[in-house]
Structures are given as C-alpha cells and as structure tokens.
Amino acid sequence: MDDWRDGIFEAIKAAGVTQVAYVPDAGHSRLIERSIEDNDLRAVSLTTEEEGVALLAGAWLGGAKGVLLLQSSGVGNCINMLSLARTCAFPLVMLVTMRGEWGEFNSWQKPMGATTQGHLELCGATCYRCDRAEDVRETVESAFRFAHYTNSIAAVLLGQRLIGAKVFEEPAAC
Amino acid sequence: MLNRRDAVRRLLDDRGDMLVVAGLGQPCFDCFAAGDDPRNFYLWGAMGGAVPTGLGLALAQPDRRVMVVTGDGDALMSAGAFATVGAEAPENLAICILDNERYGETGGQVTHTARGADLALMAAAGGVRDTRTVRTEAELADAIGALRNGAGPQVAVLKVAPESEPGSLPPQDGPHLKRRFRSAALGVEDK
C-alpha cells in the first residue's frame, strides 16, 4: 500500500498549495522534507504555530493557498490567532499530528492531546479524525475542498495510532 | 518625537501598487486616516498577527511591495516572527513599527520599549537585513525611502509621540476587508 505520508503530499499538491507553514513534528517529517525539496512549494519554518495562521491569511490575500502542519500541542498556541481566520472567513487547513493518546509515554503531552479537538471546535474549526492509513489522502482532499469552498477552517487530526507512538527508550518498570 | 499620522501619511503617499497590512489599534487608524484603500488590510484583533500576515502576503506577491504598519505592542507579541522574516528574507517586505512605548488602546500602559527593549535590535538579531530606529525628521525621510524602495526585509522603528490622535475608524467587517483586498489587488471576485 502507498505510504499515507505521500498521500498527504499529493493531496497538498492537488489542492494547489504553494505555502507550507510548519512547526516540525516527527509525524510530519517526511512531508516537510518533500515540501522543502519541491521547487513549487515555499516551506516556511515558524517559531510558533500562531504565526502560521496569520502567514496563511496573508498568503490568501495574495492569491496563494497554504497548509499548516503542527502537532496537537501547537493547537493551543493558535487559539486567539484563529479569530483572524474565523472573523474574516479565510480558508485554513491544519494538519495536526496527535500526541498524548495511543501509546504516549510523555505525560506532558496529555493535556493538549486530550483537548485538541475540543479547542479547535470551540474556535470554529471543523475536525476530521484519521486513524487508518487508507483514509488519509481522501480526508485531506476533503478538508481542502471544504475549507476552500466554504471559506472556513478545517483540521485533520492524524491519530497517534496511525503515526506510531514516539519511543525514546524502554520505559523503566514502574 | 515624530507625529504618527504625519509619518504614515508620508509613508503611504502616492503608493503605487503597494499592499498594506495594518496592525491592530492606532496603526489601523493611522493608515485609514492617510486615505482608505481596498489594498489596506486592517487587523482589528489577532494581536501579534501583522508581521506574519505581511510575510505570507510578501511571499505570495514577490513582485509587489508589502508594507506592514504596526505598533510596538503588536510587534513585541510576535517577536519570534522577526526570525521567520529573517530566515525567509523576502526582498519586498517592509515593516514600519510606530513605537509610542505605550499600549495605546488600553490606558497607555508602558510597553517594554519604554524600559530598555529595542525592537530594531530584536529584528536585527532575528536576521532582518536592514533595521533602524528613527527619531528625527531627517532620519524619517531616509527611513521612508528605505521602507518603500530598499532591498528587504526592512524594519524601521519610528519613535512617535504617545498622544492619541483623533478617531479614524476603518471598516471592521472581516469578509468585506478580505474580498475587497483580493478584488483590488488580484482582480479576484470571491463568491
């Protein structure tokens, strides 16, 4: 089966994206590498995720489409800036890699992981959850269509079961 | 101390095809007072958003000048964005910071620029190519030239008087501001 990560990249290209804004995450690393290598994409590394919400509003004003890649912890950084997308009806697609759930070892990831979807929905985003590789490409394509046609915020939550839980080393026996 | 209304009026005078992003509060009012234009995008909120919005616009429209006009409070909130601007280094992006050393809309509380923080140095430390602090009329003339025509990214911090100017409120409706900007700048008529 094709790699779901490449499916996201193909969906981004098919949607006409030219600006890829990101705060790195292991789950997005392949997508970030492919975006940097692609001469038709501008991969913009951010210092904080909220910059990306504003960056992509500016991109849309200039006639360019974008996508924001972030981890669930970064959703919390975006909250007030999402008022820009919501108030002005800027299309915004956020691809969120989840932490703090399936097989998580780091308890500091739990608070945002457990509330990511709730925060996004309170901010007016429509969330699409993906836990199976075969659903990813179609879900990302749908998110772009939804955001671009309805001038709204769409977030795809890529589950930790799909990405694979991060492992640093065997946890010590409790 | 410079007068903010006068400085912005001169900055935007006879602007050609320049695109403008105005940060929340008085910078919005200053840009509107200088003459409303559909190619002005006024931020009525989203504090910390002016610089990154200008960056995304500059990357999308590399052949046109993009002018961010914002305040010290907004610029301090997005200080990290100077590093993103420095890293992307768009030659068409200029950032004019109207630094009154105050949070003007909330009672005039002092910002960190009244207590030692230097936004021009912060921008330079972020990798922005050309930065300056402007205190006199003579310096202002040079700064306007650099902001309008100098190779970017450009940051000029204008030390302006803290007094509030008369009210001058631009439209607030977000979808309207977005649509009219895209119509005027791109010729795109959104549904």
Side-chain angles (χ1 to χ4, degrees), chain B residues 80-174:
Chain B
F82 287 135
T84 307
V85 169
E88 295 300 320
E91 293 198 355
N92 60 325
L93 178 63
I95 300 166
C96 176
I97 300 171
L98 301 163
D99 182 5
N100 63 357
E101 305 184 353
R102 300 286 189 283
Y103 291 104
E105 300 307 301
T106 56
Q109 301 88 348
V110 295
T111 65
H112 290 348
T113 62
R115 305 168 67 200
D118 184 327
L119 281 164
L121 281 178
M122 289 168 72
V128 174
R129 178 204 296 251
D130 199 347
T131 66
R132 69 189 71 213
T133 299
V134 181
R135 291 186 171 81
T136 68
E137 290 294 328
E139 291 169 342
L140 179 61
D142 285 347
I144 288 173
L147 287 167
R148 291 187 51 146
N149 301 309
Q154 291 276 342
V155 168
V157 179
L158 277 50
K159 288 290 186 179
V160 297
E163 288 78 30
S164 290
E165 296 290 333
S168 174
L169 304 184
Q172 191 184 117
D173 183 82

Side-chain angles (χ1 to χ4, degrees), chain A residues 11-29:
Chain A
I12 286 172
K13 295 289 287 183
V17 163
T18 56
Q19 290 191 26
V20 179
Y22 66 93
V23 173
D25 176 65
H28 279 316
S29 59

